[in-house]
């Protein structure tokens, strides 16, 4: 049922070291404020912190009470306040208000600000402007990477995509470079580094600067190659509906920091249960990468196997029963509990995702990927606007239409007007943001798509265009999707029957309809050991591509274990479908991919 790993696959490095280093550094910073203290934690840091250092660990280091940052007057009575925060102006201003309110009330306290993953000058400038720079101490918790599973590491920077690709704020590029430097210091040196995208190029250059500035150490390499890719190189894949189990769990229940909270209708009780989703969950590990159509068959077989294991108790003598209880029963009960949860989750997904709406959505998506039925797609969207279906589903479909082919001005205006009337004018900003990203683009009046492609393509390929080139790069990618699809064979021939139980390529993650552009690029570059032969593809993507030999001089093609460990770093996030596709690719190549996002 589940895809079996090749026996010659290498062993992954021990990424738990990243967690231990982060915990030790945090404890050191907390101890710089001796005595009892209250700790205020920014909301989006609470889940990552729980993975690094739980409450009992913090209590051992004189943290008295924990509070969530809520931008209102504090109720703490402690004489020492410690703030674990992101480098955000809003949060720093709130801390200034807290300190100034204490001053006005004649209350003396000590304040310590711990910024993570780094502190910015702008934050210190706010402290100075508000007159409390001398009253606080500031530190930096270099928490760059959090291992979520054996082969998934996260930057845990939810604002990376918005800041970099929408607002054009490049402050997190240095953070990405530092994360790469941390991997290089602990598990390097790397034999080869590939990349595509403007942000990836800058992150690589930032990493090179840090390597040159730091102390050079010789160590045994545990990672072979690194591939950096910008999220805006491939906007198509995130717009496609996920149909692998882990992707659907994320769509329905939201996976945060490797955990999911299953509601009462899944747990068959009156309360929600938080579950860690990783390879330690044997049931989940078997089905996480499977197409959803295969999941129920596996769960049914698993239930039968468990029942058989329980039935072994019959006819046992006392000694055998004692051995069974001490060695097997606990594991069987745990597996039974997890099986019940995943059956409940699958039933909940079935109710939401096998309705006619979802099936029609998939059919329309597949038609768009193949370049057919544009008018039917517009009718589909109009119908769903009028019925006020779930916003995210509708936006994906709207972006699909505009991204793949563009719309005539009259169609675009009509859809936009209907959408705003149905869902509210608040979404004017959403439309503006999507347009800024190049996801919502209408064809200019009086021009065919071919003419527009020609004009924009010429502009994008003009080396003297400078900043204007970057501004139009998303539009160029939209116009060139068809050409990219043909050159990279992203859409398999539809006349061939696709067996989802025995997938033959990465297209299985989208029911055999589409191979993710990002994953196909990675596959092709690894096969060619560079970008040679992909010049036309990189031209269409306005690439900023690069391929550089690592510092160990080991540009060898030797198949030792380290050389077969490949780190793929998505700058701006990735989907669980892409993770499943890369796992499939790793199994096929006898390599292991580590995803960093």
């Amino acid at each position: 049922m589940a895809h079996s790993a090749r026996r010659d696959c290498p062993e992954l490095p021990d990424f738990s070291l990243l967690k231990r280093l982060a915990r030790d550094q945090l404890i050191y910073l907390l101890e710089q404020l001796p005595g009892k203290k209250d700790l205020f934690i920014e909301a989006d840091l609470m889940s990552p912190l729980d993975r690094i250092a739980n409450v009992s660990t913090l209590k051992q280091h004189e943290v008295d009470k924990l509070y969530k940052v809520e931008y209102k007057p504090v109720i703490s009575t402690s004489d020492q306040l410690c703030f674990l925060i992101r480098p955000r102006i809003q949060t720093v201003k709130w801390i200034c208000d807290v300190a100034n309110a204490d001053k006005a009330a004649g209350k003396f306290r000590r304040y310590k600000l711990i910024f993570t993953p780094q502190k910015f000058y702008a934050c210190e400038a706010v402290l100075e402007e508000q007159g409390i720079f001398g009253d606080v101490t500031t530190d930096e918790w270099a928490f760059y990477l959090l291992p979520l599973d054996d082969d998934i590491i996260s930057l845990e920077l939810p604002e990376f995509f918005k800041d970099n690709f929408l607002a054009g704020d490049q402050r997190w590029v240095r953070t990405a470079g530092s994360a790469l430097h941390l991997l290089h210091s602990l598990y390097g040196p790397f034999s080869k580094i590939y990349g595509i995208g403007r942000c990836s190029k800058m992150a690589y250059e930032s990493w090179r600067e840090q390597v040159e500035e730091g102390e050079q150490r010789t160590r045994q390499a545990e990672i072979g190659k690194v591939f950096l890719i910008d999220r805006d190189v491939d906007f198509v894949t995130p717009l496609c509906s996920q149909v692998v189990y882990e992707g659907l769990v994320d769509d329905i229940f939201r996976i945060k920091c490797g955990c999911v909270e299953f509601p009462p209708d899944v747990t068959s009780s009156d309360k929600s249960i938080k579950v860690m989703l990783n390879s330690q969950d044997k049931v989940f590990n078997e089905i996480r990468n499977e197409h959803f159509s295969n999941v129920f068959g596996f769960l049914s077989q698993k239930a039968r196997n468990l029942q058989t294991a329980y039935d072994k108790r019959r006819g046992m003598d006392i000694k055998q029963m004692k051995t069974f209880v001490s060695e097997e029963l606990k594991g069987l009960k745990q597996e039974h509990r997890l099986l019940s949860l995943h059956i409940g989750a699958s039933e909940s997904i079935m109710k939401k995702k096998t309705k006619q709406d979802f099936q029609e959505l998939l059919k329309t998506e597949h038609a768009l990927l193949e370049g057919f039925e544009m008018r039917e797609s517009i009718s589909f969207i109009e119908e769903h606007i009028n019925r006020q279906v779930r916003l995210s589903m509708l936006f994906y479909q709207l972006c699909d239409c505009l991204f793949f082919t563009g719309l005539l001005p009259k169609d675009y205006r009509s859809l936009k007007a209907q959408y705003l009337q149905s869902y509210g004018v608040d979404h004017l900003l959403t439309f503006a943001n999507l347009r800024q990203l190049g996801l919502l683009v209408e064809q200019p009046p009086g021009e065919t798509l071919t003419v527009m492609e020609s004009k924009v393509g010429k502009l994008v390929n003009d080396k003297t265009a400078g900043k204007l080139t970057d501004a139009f790069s998303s539009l160029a990618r939209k116009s060139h999707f068809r050409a990219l699809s043909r050159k990279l064979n992203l859409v398999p021939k539809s006349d061939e029957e696709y067996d989802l139980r025995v997938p033959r390529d990465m297209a299985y993650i989208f029911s055999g309809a589409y191979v993710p552009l990002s994953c196909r690029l990675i596959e092709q570059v690894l096969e060619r050991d560079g970008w040679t032969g992909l010049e036309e593809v990189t031209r269409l993507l306005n690439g900023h591509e690069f391929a550089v030999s690592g510092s160990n001089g080991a540009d060898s093609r030797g198949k030792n274990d380290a050389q077969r460990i490949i780190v793929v770093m998505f700058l701006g996030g990735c989907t669980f479908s892409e993770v499943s596709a890369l796992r499939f690719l790793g199994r096929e190549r006898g390599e292991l991919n580590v995803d960093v996002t």
Side-chain angles (χ1 to χ4, degrees), residues 192 194 225 227 488 506 519-534 557 559 566 585 588-589 591:
K192 200 89 178 242
Y194 313 100
K225 299 172 183 177
F227 196 109
L488 295 172
M506 293 182 286
C519 301
R520 180 69 94 199
L521 279 174
I522 293 164
E523 178 191 41
Q524 290 294 307
V525 170
L526 291 176
E527 281 183 4
R528 299 162 189 263
D529 195 25
W531 296 95
T532 305
L534 295 171
R557 289 165 176 75
K559 283 289 182 180
I566 299 163
L585 179 63
E588 291 294 294
R589 291 174 54 89
E591 296 170 330

Side-chain angles (χ1 to χ4, degrees), residues 391 395 416 419-420 423-433:
L391 273 172
F395 255 127
K416 183 178 177 181
Y419 191 95
L420 295 175
Y423 293 101
V425 293
D426 293 350
H427 289 286
L428 271 171
L429 180 59
T430 310
F431 273 84
N433 288 340

Side-chain angles (χ1 to χ4, degrees), residues 22 25-26 29 49 52 84 114-117 139-143:
Q25 188 188 12
L26 177 61
L29 292 174
L49 180 63
I52 297 291
L84 183 60
I114 302 175
F115 292 99
T116 186
D139 254 313
E140 197 173 80
W141 181 29
F143 171 43

Side-chain angles (χ1 to χ4, degrees), residues 464-481:
T464 64
K467 291 183 180 178
L468 196 57
T469 299
D470 295 321
F472 276 88
S473 62
S474 289
L475 178 56
R477 275 189 293 276
K478 165 205 161 282
S479 302
H480 292 312
F481 175 75

Side-chain angles (χ1 to χ4, degrees), residues 180 193 199-208 228 546 548:
L180 199 56
I193 301 141
C199 185
S200 292
K201 190 79 176 280
M202 291 189 292
Y204 164 75
E205 289 167 354
S206 171
W207 167 70
R208 285 301 314 168
L228 309 179
F546 58 94
V548 186

Side-chain angles (χ1 to χ4, degrees), residues 325-379:
V325 170
S326 61
E327 294 180 4
E328 296 183 47
L329 187 58
K330 186 178 178 182
L332 288 173
K333 284 185 175 179
Q334 171 71 358
E335 208 165 334
H336 183 268
R337 185 183 74 87
L338 293 170
L339 181 61
S340 297
L341 285 173
H342 289 297
I343 288 174
S346 297
E347 288 173 342
S348 184
I349 291 169
M350 280 281 285
K351 290 174 186 174
K352 296 178 174 69
K353 292 294 188 180
T354 56
K355 292 179 180 176
Q356 187 178 359
D357 280 351
F358 186 65
Q359 295 305 315
E360 287 179 4
L361 173 65
L362 290 179
K363 183 181 175 183
T364 308
E365 275 182 14
H366 295 173
L368 282 169
L369 286 162
E370 293 171 3
F372 304 130
E373 300 180 11
M374 189 63 197
R375 181 52 54 189
E376 287 83 346
S377 298
I378 294 173
S379 301

